[in-house]
Structures are given as C-alpha cells and as structure tokens.
C-alpha cells in the first residue's frame, strides 16, 4: 500500500511538471507567430514603397553603432514606421538605435552603461 502511495505522488509530480512545461512553452509559440506577422508586414510595406529595405538600413546602423545587431523590430511610432535595433558593442554595452524606416534617418540612440 505504501509503494502505491509513493507511486501516486511521483505521478502527480510528473503531471504537474508537464503542465508547467506546457504553460512555459505557450509564449514561445505565440512569439514565433508574432515574428512571422512582423516579417509579412515588413515585406508588404517594403513592396508598397513605404519603408526602406532592411539591408540598406542596417548599413546606417552599423556606421552609427558598431557591434553585433542582436535584434530588430519594426514598430509604429506616431505616423511613421521605425526600425528599432539592439546592438551589442565589443565592450558589451547594449545600444538601442531607432531608424525611420521610410526615410532612413537615425531618430534616436540609447546606450546602456555596463
């Protein structure tokens, strides 16, 4: 009887662990869908001539903030589209560089101090 009780506890813990795993994995699936939607939106805006291509904009960012580009988001800021880049410099500092996606001009540049 005692062995059956121990097995029941183990099974309950495994079930709880499985539920936790599913809950933690759900945001990853949602984020992947969001990334696909962002990509489709960017492609549509580029094809309509509303924004510059990402390759052209990346050259501007690399000149302004040398380092590794670790993330890019396309966001709406007021009446314009903005590429928001996260760049990590060789010294480990992270910079956020906002670029007008239509005109190609740098709008803002923030640095995190290590």
């Amino acid at each position: 009887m005692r062995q059956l009780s121990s097995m029941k506890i183990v099974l309950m813990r495994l079930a709880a662990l499985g539920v936790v795993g599913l809950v933690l994995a759900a945001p990853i699936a949602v984020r992947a869908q969001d990334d696909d939607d962002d990509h489709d939106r960017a492609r549509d805006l580029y094809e309509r001539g509303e924004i510059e291509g990402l390759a052209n904009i990346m050259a501007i960012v690399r000149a302004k903030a040398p380092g590794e580009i670790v993330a890019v988001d396309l966001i709406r800021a007021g009446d314009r589209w903005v590429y928001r880049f996260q760049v990590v410099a060789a010294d480990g500092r992270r910079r956020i560089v906002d670029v007008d996606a239509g005109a190609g001009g740098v709008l803002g540049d923030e640095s995190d101090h290590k």
Side-chain angles (χ1 to χ4, degrees), residues 46-66:
Y46 174 75
E47 288 173 355
R48 290 194 310 249
E50 293 184 41
I51 64 172
E52 292 291 319
L54 188 56
N56 297 337
I57 300 295
M58 287 175 73
I60 295 167
V61 172
R62 285 193 175 105
K64 175 74 175 170

mmCIF file with all atom_site columns, all heavy atoms in Angstrom, residues 46-66:
data_model
loop_
_atom_site.group_PDB
_atom_site.id
_atom_site.type_symbol
_atom_site.label_atom_id
_atom_site.label_alt_id
_atom_site.label_comp_id
_atom_site.label_asym_id
_atom_site.label_entity_id
_atom_site.label_seq_id
_atom_site.pdbx_PDB_ins_code
_atom_site.Cartn_x
_atom_site.Cartn_y
_atom_site.Cartn_z
_atom_site.occupancy
_atom_site.B_iso_or_equiv
_atom_site.pdbx_formal_charge
_atom_site.auth_seq_id
_atom_site.auth_comp_id
_atom_site.auth_asym_id
_atom_site.auth_atom_id
_atom_site.pdbx_PDB_model_num
ATOM 1   N N   . TYR A 1 46 ? 7.455  47.207 -47.565 1.00 0.00 ? 46 TYR A N   1
ATOM 2   C CA  . TYR A 1 46 ? 8.582  47.402 -48.486 1.00 0.00 ? 46 TYR A CA  1
ATOM 3   C C   . TYR A 1 46 ? 8.097  47.347 -49.939 1.00 0.00 ? 46 TYR A C   1
ATOM 4   O O   . TYR A 1 46 ? 8.459  48.197 -50.754 1.00 0.00 ? 46 TYR A O   1
ATOM 5   C CB  . TYR A 1 46 ? 9.658  46.344 -48.235 1.00 0.00 ? 46 TYR A CB  1
ATOM 6   C CG  . TYR A 1 46 ? 10.776 46.393 -49.238 1.00 0.00 ? 46 TYR A CG  1
ATOM 7   C CD1 . TYR A 1 46 ? 11.730 47.400 -49.184 1.00 0.00 ? 46 TYR A CD1 1
ATOM 8   C CD2 . TYR A 1 46 ? 10.866 45.445 -50.247 1.00 0.00 ? 46 TYR A CD2 1
ATOM 9   C CE1 . TYR A 1 46 ? 12.755 47.454 -50.110 1.00 0.00 ? 46 TYR A CE1 1
ATOM 10  C CE2 . TYR A 1 46 ? 11.889 45.494 -51.180 1.00 0.00 ? 46 TYR A CE2 1
ATOM 11  C CZ  . TYR A 1 46 ? 12.820 46.505 -51.108 1.00 0.00 ? 46 TYR A CZ  1
ATOM 12  O OH  . TYR A 1 46 ? 13.835 46.564 -52.040 1.00 0.00 ? 46 TYR A OH  1
ATOM 13  N N   . GLU A 1 47 ? 7.262  46.371 -50.255 1.00 0.00 ? 47 GLU A N   1
ATOM 14  C CA  . GLU A 1 47 ? 6.757  46.224 -51.624 1.00 0.00 ? 47 GLU A CA  1
ATOM 15  C C   . GLU A 1 47 ? 5.913  47.418 -52.043 1.00 0.00 ? 47 GLU A C   1
ATOM 16  O O   . GLU A 1 47 ? 5.879  47.767 -53.220 1.00 0.00 ? 47 GLU A O   1
ATOM 17  C CB  . GLU A 1 47 ? 5.969  44.923 -51.759 1.00 0.00 ? 47 GLU A CB  1
ATOM 18  C CG  . GLU A 1 47 ? 6.861  43.692 -51.742 1.00 0.00 ? 47 GLU A CG  1
ATOM 19  C CD  . GLU A 1 47 ? 6.094  42.378 -51.714 1.00 0.00 ? 47 GLU A CD  1
ATOM 20  O OE1 . GLU A 1 47 ? 4.847  42.399 -51.610 1.00 0.00 ? 47 GLU A OE1 1
ATOM 21  O OE2 . GLU A 1 47 ? 6.762  41.324 -51.778 1.00 0.00 ? 47 GLU A OE2 1
ATOM 22  N N   . ARG A 1 48 ? 5.243  48.049 -51.094 1.00 0.00 ? 48 ARG A N   1
ATOM 23  C CA  . ARG A 1 48 ? 4.436  49.244 -51.408 1.00 0.00 ? 48 ARG A CA  1
ATOM 24  C C   . ARG A 1 48 ? 5.276  50.513 -51.407 1.00 0.00 ? 48 ARG A C   1
ATOM 25  O O   . ARG A 1 48 ? 4.770  51.605 -51.669 1.00 0.00 ? 48 ARG A O   1
ATOM 26  C CB  . ARG A 1 48 ? 3.295  49.377 -50.400 1.00 0.00 ? 48 ARG A CB  1
ATOM 27  C CG  . ARG A 1 48 ? 2.228  48.312 -50.547 1.00 0.00 ? 48 ARG A CG  1
ATOM 28  C CD  . ARG A 1 48 ? 0.956  48.653 -49.788 1.00 0.00 ? 48 ARG A CD  1
ATOM 29  N NE  . ARG A 1 48 ? 1.182  49.031 -48.410 1.00 0.00 ? 48 ARG A NE  1
ATOM 30  C CZ  . ARG A 1 48 ? 0.838  48.313 -47.345 1.00 0.00 ? 48 ARG A CZ  1
ATOM 31  N NH1 . ARG A 1 48 ? 0.265  47.141 -47.505 1.00 0.00 ? 48 ARG A NH1 1
ATOM 32  N NH2 . ARG A 1 48 ? 1.060  48.746 -46.127 1.00 0.00 ? 48 ARG A NH2 1
ATOM 33  N N   . GLY A 1 49 ? 6.556  50.400 -51.062 1.00 0.00 ? 49 GLY A N   1
ATOM 34  C CA  . GLY A 1 49 ? 7.445  51.555 -51.066 1.00 0.00 ? 49 GLY A CA  1
ATOM 35  C C   . GLY A 1 49 ? 7.320  52.444 -49.841 1.00 0.00 ? 49 GLY A C   1
ATOM 36  O O   . GLY A 1 49 ? 7.832  53.561 -49.832 1.00 0.00 ? 49 GLY A O   1
ATOM 37  N N   . GLU A 1 50 ? 6.692  51.939 -48.782 1.00 0.00 ? 50 GLU A N   1
ATOM 38  C CA  . GLU A 1 50 ? 6.514  52.741 -47.573 1.00 0.00 ? 50 GLU A CA  1
ATOM 39  C C   . GLU A 1 50 ? 7.728  52.714 -46.665 1.00 0.00 ? 50 GLU A C   1
ATOM 40  O O   . GLU A 1 50 ? 7.916  53.625 -45.859 1.00 0.00 ? 50 GLU A O   1
ATOM 41  C CB  . GLU A 1 50 ? 5.276  52.272 -46.805 1.00 0.00 ? 50 GLU A CB  1
ATOM 42  C CG  . GLU A 1 50 ? 3.981  52.549 -47.550 1.00 0.00 ? 50 GLU A CG  1
ATOM 43  C CD  . GLU A 1 50 ? 2.761  52.159 -46.740 1.00 0.00 ? 50 GLU A CD  1
ATOM 44  O OE1 . GLU A 1 50 ? 2.749  52.415 -45.518 1.00 0.00 ? 50 GLU A OE1 1
ATOM 45  O OE2 . GLU A 1 50 ? 1.824  51.597 -47.329 1.00 0.00 ? 50 GLU A OE2 1
ATOM 46  N N   . ILE A 1 51 ? 8.547  51.662 -46.761 1.00 0.00 ? 51 ILE A N   1
ATOM 47  C CA  . ILE A 1 51 ? 9.747  51.569 -45.935 1.00 0.00 ? 51 ILE A CA  1
ATOM 48  C C   . ILE A 1 51 ? 10.927 51.147 -46.803 1.00 0.00 ? 51 ILE A C   1
ATOM 49  O O   . ILE A 1 51 ? 10.755 50.558 -47.869 1.00 0.00 ? 51 ILE A O   1
ATOM 50  C CB  . ILE A 1 51 ? 9.585  50.582 -44.757 1.00 0.00 ? 51 ILE A CB  1
ATOM 51  C CG1 . ILE A 1 51 ? 9.378  49.145 -45.258 1.00 0.00 ? 51 ILE A CG1 1
ATOM 52  C CG2 . ILE A 1 51 ? 8.480  51.017 -43.822 1.00 0.00 ? 51 ILE A CG2 1
ATOM 53  C CD1 . ILE A 1 51 ? 9.394  48.104 -44.149 1.00 0.00 ? 51 ILE A CD1 1
ATOM 54  N N   . GLU A 1 52 ? 12.128 51.458 -46.313 1.00 0.00 ? 52 GLU A N   1
ATOM 55  C CA  . GLU A 1 52 ? 13.360 51.034 -46.971 1.00 0.00 ? 52 GLU A CA  1
ATOM 56  C C   . GLU A 1 52 ? 13.642 49.570 -46.623 1.00 0.00 ? 52 GLU A C   1
ATOM 57  O O   . GLU A 1 52 ? 13.180 49.064 -45.599 1.00 0.00 ? 52 GLU A O   1
ATOM 58  C CB  . GLU A 1 52 ? 14.539 51.890 -46.482 1.00 0.00 ? 52 GLU A CB  1
ATOM 59  C CG  . GLU A 1 52 ? 14.476 53.325 -46.933 1.00 0.00 ? 52 GLU A CG  1
ATOM 60  C CD  . GLU A 1 52 ? 14.705 53.467 -48.427 1.00 0.00 ? 52 GLU A CD  1
ATOM 61  O OE1 . GLU A 1 52 ? 15.589 52.773 -48.972 1.00 0.00 ? 52 GLU A OE1 1
ATOM 62  O OE2 . GLU A 1 52 ? 13.996 54.272 -49.043 1.00 0.00 ? 52 GLU A OE2 1
ATOM 63  N N   . GLY A 1 53 ? 14.438 48.930 -47.452 1.00 0.00 ? 53 GLY A N   1
ATOM 64  C CA  . GLY A 1 53 ? 14.832 47.557 -47.181 1.00 0.00 ? 53 GLY A CA  1
ATOM 65  C C   . GLY A 1 53 ? 15.732 47.481 -45.967 1.00 0.00 ? 53 GLY A C   1
ATOM 66  O O   . GLY A 1 53 ? 16.516 48.390 -45.688 1.00 0.00 ? 53 GLY A O   1
ATOM 67  N N   . LEU A 1 54 ? 15.647 46.395 -45.252 1.00 0.00 ? 54 LEU A N   1
ATOM 68  C CA  . LEU A 1 54 ? 16.410 46.223 -44.021 1.00 0.00 ? 54 LEU A CA  1
ATOM 69  C C   . LEU A 1 54 ? 17.918 46.258 -44.283 1.00 0.00 ? 54 LEU A C   1
ATOM 70  O O   . LEU A 1 54 ? 18.668 46.815 -43.487 1.00 0.00 ? 54 LEU A O   1
ATOM 71  C CB  . LEU A 1 54 ? 16.015 44.907 -43.351 1.00 0.00 ? 54 LEU A CB  1
ATOM 72  C CG  . LEU A 1 54 ? 16.570 44.637 -41.972 1.00 0.00 ? 54 LEU A CG  1
ATOM 73  C CD1 . LEU A 1 54 ? 16.224 45.764 -41.005 1.00 0.00 ? 54 LEU A CD1 1
ATOM 74  C CD2 . LEU A 1 54 ? 16.044 43.315 -41.446 1.00 0.00 ? 54 LEU A CD2 1
ATOM 75  N N   . ALA A 1 55 ? 18.382 45.714 -45.393 1.00 0.00 ? 55 ALA A N   1
ATOM 76  C CA  . ALA A 1 55 ? 19.819 45.706 -45.689 1.00 0.00 ? 55 ALA A CA  1
ATOM 77  C C   . ALA A 1 55 ? 20.366 47.130 -45.776 1.00 0.00 ? 55 ALA A C   1
ATOM 78  O O   . ALA A 1 55 ? 21.454 47.421 -45.257 1.00 0.00 ? 55 ALA A O   1
ATOM 79  C CB  . ALA A 1 55 ? 20.090 44.949 -46.978 1.00 0.00 ? 55 ALA A CB  1
ATOM 80  N N   . ASN A 1 56 ? 19.629 48.034 -46.410 1.00 0.00 ? 56 ASN A N   1
ATOM 81  C CA  . ASN A 1 56 ? 20.065 49.432 -46.517 1.00 0.00 ? 56 ASN A CA  1
ATOM 82  C C   . ASN A 1 56 ? 20.115 50.097 -45.144 1.00 0.00 ? 56 ASN A C   1
ATOM 83  O O   . ASN A 1 56 ? 21.051 50.835 -44.830 1.00 0.00 ? 56 ASN A O   1
ATOM 84  C CB  . ASN A 1 56 ? 19.125 50.228 -47.426 1.00 0.00 ? 56 ASN A CB  1
ATOM 85  C CG  . ASN A 1 56 ? 19.129 49.724 -48.846 1.00 0.00 ? 56 ASN A CG  1
ATOM 86  O OD1 . ASN A 1 56 ? 20.072 49.086 -49.295 1.00 0.00 ? 56 ASN A OD1 1
ATOM 87  N ND2 . ASN A 1 56 ? 18.054 49.999 -49.549 1.00 0.00 ? 56 ASN A ND2 1
ATOM 88  N N   . ILE A 1 57 ? 19.120 49.837 -44.342 1.00 0.00 ? 57 ILE A N   1
ATOM 89  C CA  . ILE A 1 57 ? 19.033 50.446 -43.014 1.00 0.00 ? 57 ILE A CA  1
ATOM 90  C C   . ILE A 1 57 ? 20.132 49.901 -42.099 1.00 0.00 ? 57 ILE A C   1
ATOM 91  O O   . ILE A 1 57 ? 20.715 50.635 -41.292 1.00 0.00 ? 57 ILE A O   1
ATOM 92  C CB  . ILE A 1 57 ? 17.637 50.204 -42.398 1.00 0.00 ? 57 ILE A CB  1
ATOM 93  C CG1 . ILE A 1 57 ? 16.534 50.805 -43.277 1.00 0.00 ? 57 ILE A CG1 1
ATOM 94  C CG2 . ILE A 1 57 ? 17.568 50.743 -40.980 1.00 0.00 ? 57 ILE A CG2 1
ATOM 95  C CD1 . ILE A 1 57 ? 16.550 52.301 -43.396 1.00 0.00 ? 57 ILE A CD1 1
ATOM 96  N N   . MET A 1 58 ? 20.455 48.608 -42.236 1.00 0.00 ? 58 MET A N   1
ATOM 97  C CA  . MET A 1 58 ? 21.486 48.012 -41.387 1.00 0.00 ? 58 MET A CA  1
ATOM 98  C C   . MET A 1 58 ? 22.846 48.674 -41.610 1.00 0.00 ? 58 MET A C   1
ATOM 99  O O   . MET A 1 58 ? 23.620 48.836 -40.667 1.00 0.00 ? 58 MET A O   1
ATOM 100 C CB  . MET A 1 58 ? 21.567 46.507 -41.627 1.00 0.00 ? 58 MET A CB  1
ATOM 101 C CG  . MET A 1 58 ? 20.387 45.759 -41.029 1.00 0.00 ? 58 MET A CG  1
ATOM 102 S SD  . MET A 1 58 ? 20.371 44.005 -41.416 1.00 0.00 ? 58 MET A SD  1
ATOM 103 C CE  . MET A 1 58 ? 21.688 43.427 -40.376 1.00 0.00 ? 58 MET A CE  1
ATOM 104 N N   . ALA A 1 59 ? 23.120 49.094 -42.836 1.00 0.00 ? 59 ALA A N   1
ATOM 105 C CA  . ALA A 1 59 ? 24.390 49.787 -43.111 1.00 0.00 ? 59 ALA A CA  1
ATOM 106 C C   . ALA A 1 59 ? 24.457 51.101 -42.336 1.00 0.00 ? 59 ALA A C   1
ATOM 107 O O   . ALA A 1 59 ? 25.513 51.467 -41.795 1.00 0.00 ? 59 ALA A O   1
ATOM 108 C CB  . ALA A 1 59 ? 24.530 50.035 -44.610 1.00 0.00 ? 59 ALA A CB  1
ATOM 109 N N   . ILE A 1 60 ? 23.341 51.797 -42.249 1.00 0.00 ? 60 ILE A N   1
ATOM 110 C CA  . ILE A 1 60 ? 23.272 53.047 -41.488 1.00 0.00 ? 60 ILE A CA  1
ATOM 111 C C   . ILE A 1 60 ? 23.519 52.773 -40.007 1.00 0.00 ? 60 ILE A C   1
ATOM 112 O O   . ILE A 1 60 ? 24.273 53.482 -39.340 1.00 0.00 ? 60 ILE A O   1
ATOM 113 C CB  . ILE A 1 60 ? 21.896 53.724 -41.697 1.00 0.00 ? 60 ILE A CB  1
ATOM 114 C CG1 . ILE A 1 60 ? 21.731 54.150 -43.161 1.00 0.00 ? 60 ILE A CG1 1
ATOM 115 C CG2 . ILE A 1 60 ? 21.698 54.890 -40.747 1.00 0.00 ? 60 ILE A CG2 1
ATOM 116 C CD1 . ILE A 1 60 ? 20.316 54.531 -43.531 1.00 0.00 ? 60 ILE A CD1 1
ATOM 117 N N   . VAL A 1 61 ? 22.894 51.726 -39.484 1.00 0.00 ? 61 VAL A N   1
ATOM 118 C CA  . VAL A 1 61 ? 23.033 51.384 -38.063 1.00 0.00 ? 61 VAL A CA  1
ATOM 119 C C   . VAL A 1 61 ? 24.468 50.979 -37.752 1.00 0.00 ? 61 VAL A C   1
ATOM 120 O O   . VAL A 1 61 ? 25.030 51.398 -36.734 1.00 0.00 ? 61 VAL A O   1
ATOM 121 C CB  . VAL A 1 61 ? 22.046 50.263 -37.672 1.00 0.00 ? 61 VAL A CB  1
ATOM 122 C CG1 . VAL A 1 61 ? 22.304 49.764 -36.260 1.00 0.00 ? 61 VAL A CG1 1
ATOM 123 C CG2 . VAL A 1 61 ? 20.617 50.761 -37.812 1.00 0.00 ? 61 VAL A CG2 1
ATOM 124 N N   . ARG A 1 62 ? 25.065 50.184 -38.614 1.00 0.00 ? 62 ARG A N   1
ATOM 125 C CA  . ARG A 1 62 ? 26.453 49.747 -38.362 1.00 0.00 ? 62 ARG A CA  1
ATOM 126 C C   . ARG A 1 62 ? 27.422 50.938 -38.337 1.00 0.00 ? 62 ARG A C   1
ATOM 127 O O   . ARG A 1 62 ? 28.391 50.935 -37.588 1.00 0.00 ? 62 ARG A O   1
ATOM 128 C CB  . ARG A 1 62 ? 26.871 48.724 -39.409 1.00 0.00 ? 62 ARG A CB  1
ATOM 129 C CG  . ARG A 1 62 ? 26.243 47.373 -39.158 1.00 0.00 ? 62 ARG A CG  1
ATOM 130 C CD  . ARG A 1 62 ? 26.890 46.276 -39.983 1.00 0.00 ? 62 ARG A CD  1
ATOM 131 N NE  . ARG A 1 62 ? 26.331 44.996 -39.614 1.00 0.00 ? 62 ARG A NE  1
ATOM 132 C CZ  . ARG A 1 62 ? 25.466 44.320 -40.354 1.00 0.00 ? 62 ARG A CZ  1
ATOM 133 N NH1 . ARG A 1 62 ? 25.086 44.779 -41.524 1.00 0.00 ? 62 ARG A NH1 1
ATOM 134 N NH2 . ARG A 1 62 ? 25.002 43.157 -39.942 1.00 0.00 ? 62 ARG A NH2 1
ATOM 135 N N   . ALA A 1 63 ? 27.152 51.938 -39.160 1.00 0.00 ? 63 ALA A N   1
ATOM 136 C CA  . ALA A 1 63 ? 28.011 53.134 -39.155 1.00 0.00 ? 63 ALA A CA  1
ATOM 137 C C   . ALA A 1 63 ? 27.813 53.928 -37.872 1.00 0.00 ? 63 ALA A C   1
ATOM 138 O O   . ALA A 1 63 ? 28.765 54.493 -37.323 1.00 0.00 ? 63 ALA A O   1
ATOM 139 C CB  . ALA A 1 63 ? 27.701 53.996 -40.370 1.00 0.00 ? 63 ALA A CB  1
ATOM 140 N N   . LYS A 1 64 ? 26.596 53.973 -37.370 1.00 0.00 ? 64 LYS A N   1
ATOM 141 C CA  . LYS A 1 64 ? 26.273 54.744 -36.169 1.00 0.00 ? 64 LYS A CA  1
ATOM 142 C C   . LYS A 1 64 ? 26.666 54.017 -34.888 1.00 0.00 ? 64 LYS A C   1
ATOM 143 O O   . LYS A 1 64 ? 27.129 54.634 -33.936 1.00 0.00 ? 64 LYS A O   1
ATOM 144 C CB  . LYS A 1 64 ? 24.766 55.052 -36.172 1.00 0.00 ? 64 LYS A CB  1
ATOM 145 C CG  . LYS A 1 64 ? 24.240 55.741 -34.962 1.00 0.00 ? 64 LYS A CG  1
ATOM 146 C CD  . LYS A 1 64 ? 24.644 57.179 -34.918 1.00 0.00 ? 64 LYS A CD  1
ATOM 147 C CE  . LYS A 1 64 ? 23.972 57.859 -33.737 1.00 0.00 ? 64 LYS A CE  1
ATOM 148 N NZ  . LYS A 1 64 ? 24.499 59.173 -33.504 1.00 0.00 ? 64 LYS A NZ  1
ATOM 149 N N   . ALA A 1 65 ? 26.459 52.698 -34.879 1.00 0.00 ? 65 ALA A N   1
ATOM 150 C CA  . ALA A 1 65 ? 26.678 51.908 -33.663 1.00 0.00 ? 65 ALA A CA  1
ATOM 151 C C   . ALA A 1 65 ? 27.374 50.599 -34.023 1.00 0.00 ? 65 ALA A C   1
ATOM 152 O O   . ALA A 1 65 ? 26.720 49.572 -34.195 1.00 0.00 ? 65 ALA A O   1
ATOM 153 C CB  . ALA A 1 65 ? 25.343 51.631 -32.977 1.00 0.00 ? 65 ALA A CB  1
ATOM 154 N N   . PRO A 1 66 ? 28.709 50.631 -34.142 1.00 0.00 ? 66 PRO A N   1
ATOM 155 C CA  . PRO A 1 66 ? 29.429 49.398 -34.478 1.00 0.00 ? 66 PRO A CA  1
ATOM 156 C C   . PRO A 1 66 ? 29.193 48.323 -33.425 1.00 0.00 ? 66 PRO A C   1
ATOM 157 O O   . PRO A 1 66 ? 29.109 48.612 -32.238 1.00 0.00 ? 66 PRO A O   1
ATOM 158 C CB  . PRO A 1 66 ? 30.898 49.831 -34.486 1.00 0.00 ? 66 PRO A CB  1
ATOM 159 C CG  . PRO A 1 66 ? 30.877 51.312 -34.591 1.00 0.00 ? 66 PRO A CG  1
ATOM 160 C CD  . PRO A 1 66 ? 29.598 51.764 -33.974 1.00 0.00 ? 66 PRO A CD  1
#
